[in-house]
């Protein structure tokens, strides 16, 4: 059962002054001012805090790890402690302007089911992924015959994910490649070049 956690400190805390993560900066530029946002797998709430501060967004998080959910609360963010694979279907249709998976979707056992729920809940869906099709990973596979260990349950190339979105009838409104934490990687002006050269990509999808 989902548990809504609320701020207990009189003043929200800035837990870190470090530079925001690259995909977080790209995502923040895709979100309209004052939007209603659900951050799925929100971690410690860093993206939520950025969106609230920079975009005036009304952000809610969904996080399974109780320690990370607690850090969101300390930041002053509204978070629901729950499992995305089980609990997304409890949110009403059209409840948010954006549903975000920031390096989250590939860690789910059933990513397509989660995407389907996100497209029902939100008017737009934003997904950042790690690109398994980058050139160095291809050479690693060619030379060693293996990709090596990964933190991801599912590995997508940029093209794989673009095809998945189209198969699910999700329109790709924008797609941004990133390398070394910065948007606009060299030679990544098209999604096909991004498939070879970028480390990550952020997709803005419309149901």
């Amino acid at each position: 059962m989902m548990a809504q956690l609320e701020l207990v400190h009189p003043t929200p805390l800035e837990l870190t002054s470090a530079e925001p993560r690259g995909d977080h900066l790209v995502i923040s530029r895709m979100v309209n001012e004052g939007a209603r946002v659900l951050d799925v797998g929100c971690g410690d709430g860093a993206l939520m805090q950025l969106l609230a501060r920079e975009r005036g967004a009304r952000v809610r998080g969904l996080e399974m790890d109780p320690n990370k959910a607690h850090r969101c609360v300390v930041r002053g963010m509204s978070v629901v402690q729950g499992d995305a694979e089980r609990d997304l279907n409890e949110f009403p249709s059209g409840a948010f302007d954006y549903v975000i998976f920031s390096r989250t979707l590939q860690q789910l056992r059933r990513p397509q089911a989660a995407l389907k729920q996100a497209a029902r809940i939100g008017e737009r869906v934003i997904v950042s992924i790690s690109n398994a099709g980058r050139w160095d990973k291809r050479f690693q596979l060619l030379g060693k015959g293996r990709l090596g260990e990964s933190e991801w349950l599912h590995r997508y190339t940029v093209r794989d994910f673009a095809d998945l979105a189209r198969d699910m009838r999700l329109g790709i409104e924008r797609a941004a490649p990133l390398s070394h934490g910065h948007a606009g990687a060299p030679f990544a002006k098209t999604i096909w070049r991004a498939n070879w050269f970028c480390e990550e990509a952020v997709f803005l999808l419309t149901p």
Side-chain angles (χ1 to χ4, degrees):
M1 178 180 294
M2 294 192 295
Q4 175 70 45
L5 306 180
E6 299 293 346
L7 177 68
V8 294
H9 296 272
T11 305
L13 301 179
E14 287 278 355
L15 291 183
T16 177
S17 58
E19 186 74 14
R21 224 169 66 188
D23 67 320
H24 287 181
L25 288 173
V26 172
I27 290 169
S28 72
R29 295 177 192 130
M30 292 179 171
V31 171
N32 291 331
E33 293 280 347
R36 301 166 299 160
V37 177
L38 176 65
D39 185 4
V40 180
C42 59
D44 66 2
L47 175 59
M48 298 168 65
Q49 199 166 46
L50 178 68
L51 292 173
R53 184 179 64 235
E54 300 296 327
R55 311 301 292 171
R58 294 165 286 166
V59 191
R60 175 174 290 189
L62 177 62
E63 175 56 49
M64 184 165 59
D65 186 321
N67 293 322
K68 291 178 179 176
H70 174 73
R71 289 174 67 83
C72 293
V73 174
V74 173
R75 287 180 187 271
M77 298 291 105
S78 174
V79 61
V80 173
Q81 188 182 331
D83 184 347
E85 309 241 31
R86 182 192 62 210
D87 296 327
L88 278 176
N89 61 4
E90 295 192 21
F91 290 90
S93 299
F96 297 93
D97 299 307
Y98 299 88
V99 177
I100 297 173
F101 297 90
S102 173
R103 298 183 183 174
T104 303
L105 194 71
Q106 290 168 282
Q107 300 189 44
L108 300 181
R109 294 185 301 277
R110 295 179 291 117
Q112 288 175 263
L115 262 183
K116 184 177 180 181
Q117 286 296 331
R120 177 185 63 81
I121 296 168
E123 294 184 8
R124 289 184 173 87
V125 181
I126 300 177
V127 181
S128 67
I129 64 163
S130 173
N131 177 28
R134 186 179 148 97
W135 65 270
D136 54 342
K137 295 176 182 176
R138 297 175 190 234
F139 283 113
Q140 183 181 6
L141 179 62
L142 184 65
K144 298 181 179 179
R146 56 175 57 182
L147 285 169
E149 295 183 0
S150 170
E151 63 183 295
W152 313 109
L153 286 177
H154 300 275
R155 293 183 179 182
Y156 296 124
T157 68
V158 170
R159 289 186 63 179
D160 283 336
F161 188 78
D163 288 344
L164 172 65
R166 293 189 183 103
D167 289 345
M168 295 184 65
R169 301 184 182 279
L170 297 171
I172 301 175
E173 188 171 319
R174 292 170 62 186
L178 294 95
S179 285
H180 306 297
H182 298 286
F187 311 109
K189 294 181 179 178
T190 70
I191 200 168
W192 313 112
R193 291 181 179 179
N195 198 48
W196 271 91
F197 295 106
C198 75
E199 294 175 345
E200 297 178 82
V202 181
F203 290 85
L204 175 61
L205 307 173
T206 52

